[in-house]
Structures are given as C-alpha cells and as structure tokens.
Amino acid sequence: MKNIIYLIFSIFLLAACSSKEEAKIDTSKARAMGEKAAQEMIDSRSDTVLLQTLLLDARATQYKILQRNDTVIADTYVQAIEDYLRAHHDSLARAIL
C-alpha cells in the first residue's frame, strides 16, 4: 500500500514539474515567434500593404493565444515584437507602436 501511495505522489510531483517546464518552453517559443514576426515587419517595411498584413497577423496570433487563456504567453509574444522592433529599427517601432 505504501508503494502505491509513493507512486501516486511521484506521479503528481512529476506532473507538476513538467507543467512548469512546459510554461518555460511556451514562453521562449512565444518570444521567438514575436522576434520572427518583428523581423518580417522590418524586412517588409517598404511594402505598406504587406506590413499592414503582418501587423494584422500579429494581432490574430495574440488573439489565438488569448483564446487559450494564456495571457502571460500572449503578453510575452507582443512584448517580444515591441522589444525587437525598438532594438533593430527604432523609426519603424515609433511609427507603428
């Protein structure tokens, strides 16, 4: 009986640790996605229609993340876009943020 209790307790501990690790992976993935989206915006800055499309895509991605109730991940995604734009193309950042 003790072995079963230890096994169940171990499973709960393992599940708790893995969910924390998933959150770290999701946050880093959201940051990478945001940086990639920002770089695409910088690359297309001379094409106004494409830039507007990319901005709408970024908001759509943010909305999809929010639909999963992942506000931290959505905020990380948007913050990554803003940070990347400010660091790599400040004039574009000032124009669209």
Side-chain angles (χ1 to χ4, degrees):
M1 185 67 177
K2 276 187 173 181
N3 288 340
I4 293 174
I5 293 172
Y6 287 127
L7 178 64
I8 292 171
F9 183 70
S10 298
I11 291 172
F12 283 126
L13 283 176
L14 184 60
C17 292
S18 67
S19 67
K20 288 179 185 175
E21 190 63 32
E22 279 182 23
K24 289 180 185 175
I25 293 169
D26 286 343
T27 301
S28 63
K29 184 178 177 184
R31 177 155 288 286
M33 288 171 47
E35 291 173 354
K36 181 180 177 196
Q39 184 59 52
E40 290 174 353
M41 290 175 198
I42 291 170
D43 293 343
S44 67
R45 66 187 177 274
S46 61
D47 185 347
T48 306
V49 174
L50 181 56
L51 182 57
Q52 289 174 345
T53 301
L54 292 171
L55 288 167
L56 289 172
D57 287 346
R59 286 297 177 198
T61 300
Q62 178 190 19
Y63 181 74
K64 287 177 191 174
I65 296 169
L66 287 171
Q67 288 298 304
R68 296 187 333 226
N69 292 323
D70 286 337
T71 56
V72 172
I73 302 301
D75 291 345
T76 301
Y77 172 72
V78 171
Q79 191 63 49
I81 292 172
E82 293 175 0
D83 292 346
Y84 193 90
L85 286 174
R86 285 189 181 104
H88 293 91
H89 205 290
D90 192 49
S91 60
L92 180 61
R94 284 192 307 259
I96 64 176
L97 298 179

